[in-house]
Amino acid sequence: MTSGKPTPESLPKEPLPRLLAVMAWLRDRQHGCPWDIDQTFRSIAPYTIEEAYEVADAIERDDLPALKEELGDLLLQVVYHSQIASEAQVFGFDDVAAAIADKMVDRHPHVFGDLDIKTADAQTVSWEARKAAERAAKAVSDGSAAAEASAGALDGVARALPALMRAEKIQKRAARVGFDWGTIGPVIDKIEEELAELRAELEAGKLEQAKVADELGDVLFAVANLARHCKVDPEVALRATNDKFEKRFRYIERRLGEAGRKPAEASLEEMEALWQEAKTQA
């Protein structure tokens, strides 16, 4: 950075250079913000995830002004990570932008080359094939022939993804190499099998939490598999159900409130009756 304290007038006028300059100044050891200076990749990673969810929330609510703002917040996270990397002389924002542009060109040979791909499904197959080739190439560049041989179908599925989303991605990867049922029937049978195992564990009377958690995890994994076979995003489906539950429960609270009462003061039967009433509301 140049010497002297920055002013709004001293910043570049073009939006992207201005944003990059703002972040560089926030991290400046002499004139920057103490909080921003203290941050690391790890410390701001949760904010990056949070901003991505807020983008999704704005889209879900069809709130375009909010979407513009949330996309800006998400872009700031990319700039933030890039600035930290630049200070460590590992890579910079230009490297990030160049790498993703090159990747998009490489993965769309039907747009930037001569490959003929007519449908979205065919493009998905091509996309995944290229991703697999990239993973294999990365295994080679990272080490040895052993690393290449050990590259598996599930490599690259981030552990930090929400559990339902990660389950779906793992299952999709396995399905691409043939480890999948061809119809929905066996998928539903698997859910019933896992539920039976969970029920048996609960009815055993010991209630060993580790075993219960293991069986419940199997149920959730099987349900995520059903969502995949139904071509339903389990995260989207569960968010919608969360919203539906919240709306109906707030109806219960409102109706009880009209009588000067709270849910804790009502019986389960009363609340169930109001729940059924809430289901009939628009």
Side-chain angles (χ1 to χ4, degrees):
M1 301 299 298
T2 59
S3 60
K5 190 173 182 178
T7 64
E9 293 73 25
S10 68
L11 294 169
K13 302 303 180 185
E14 291 297 314
L16 186 54
R18 183 180 180 85
L19 176 58
L20 293 171
V22 166
M23 179 50 65
W25 276 115
L26 289 174
R27 295 271 303 175
D28 182 74
R29 293 300 184 269
Q30 183 177 357
H31 300 293
C33 168
W35 186 89
D36 286 290
I37 292 169
D38 284 347
Q39 301 313 302
T40 65
F41 291 126
R42 287 185 179 274
S43 69
I44 63 172
Y47 298 102
T48 307
I49 295 169
E50 180 182 343
E51 296 301 350
Y53 275 111
E54 290 183 358
V55 167
D57 180 65
I59 293 171
E60 198 75 23
R61 292 183 287 108
D62 198 24
D63 188 339
L64 296 186
L67 178 58
K68 180 184 73 172
E69 180 178 349
E70 299 302 347
L71 285 171
D73 291 343
L74 185 58
L75 176 59
L76 179 66
Q77 296 299 309
V78 177
V79 169
Y80 211 141
H81 286 287
S82 299
Q83 177 61 31
I84 295 174
S86 178
E87 293 164 10
Q89 298 184 334
V90 180
F91 60 80
F93 181 84
D94 285 351
D95 300 306
V96 173
I100 189 59
D102 290 346
K103 182 188 292 185
M104 290 301 99
V105 169
D106 182 66
R107 289 188 183 174
H108 292 81
H110 55 299
V111 176
F112 300 101
D114 298 327
L115 188 65
D116 186 22
I117 296 180
K118 297 295 187 183
T119 68
D121 286 343
Q123 163 56 13
T124 298
V125 172
S126 173
W127 177 278
E128 292 302 330
R130 287 177 177 273
K131 285 174 66 176
E134 288 169 10
R135 288 193 295 272
K138 185 176 186 299
V140 174
S141 67
D142 283 348
S144 61
E148 181 181 6
S150 66
L154 306 184
D155 289 357
V157 181
R159 294 184 61 84
L161 288 172
L164 274 177
M165 185 184 297
R166 187 164 190 264
E168 183 190 30
K169 285 184 175 294
I170 287 173
Q171 292 160 359
K172 282 182 177 178
R173 290 284 189 87
R176 291 189 189 111
V177 295
F179 192 70
D180 193 17
W181 283 295
T183 61
I184 289 180
V187 181
I188 296 175
D189 292 341
K190 185 64 176 177
I191 294 174
E192 293 173 347
E193 174 189 327
E194 299 297 355
L195 280 170
E197 291 179 7
L198 175 60
R199 183 186 295 276
E201 188 62 42
L202 293 171
E203 291 177 347
K206 297 179 181 179
L207 284 183
E208 296 182 33
Q209 288 303 113
K211 289 184 178 179
V212 171
D214 183 56
E215 297 296 350
L216 185 55
D218 290 345
V219 172
L220 293 171
F221 191 84
V223 170
N225 199 24
L226 176 61
R228 179 178 65 85
H229 275 264
C230 292
K231 301 187 184 303
V232 171
D233 185 326
E235 290 285 333
V236 172
L238 185 54
R239 279 201 301 272
T241 296
N242 288 342
D243 291 342
K244 181 169 59 179
F245 180 93
E246 182 179 11
K247 179 181 178 181
R248 291 175 182 174
F249 191 80
R250 289 186 184 280
Y251 178 87
I252 293 173
E253 289 180 313
R254 186 170 67 254
R255 287 295 310 277
L256 289 171
E258 291 169 357
R261 303 168 66 203
K262 296 180 179 179
E265 300 168 339
S267 68
L268 178 58
E269 290 74 16
E270 287 178 285
M271 287 191 285
E272 176 61 24
L274 288 171
W275 177 271
Q276 295 300 325
E277 189 177 303
K279 289 172 66 174
T280 66
Q281 305 301 305

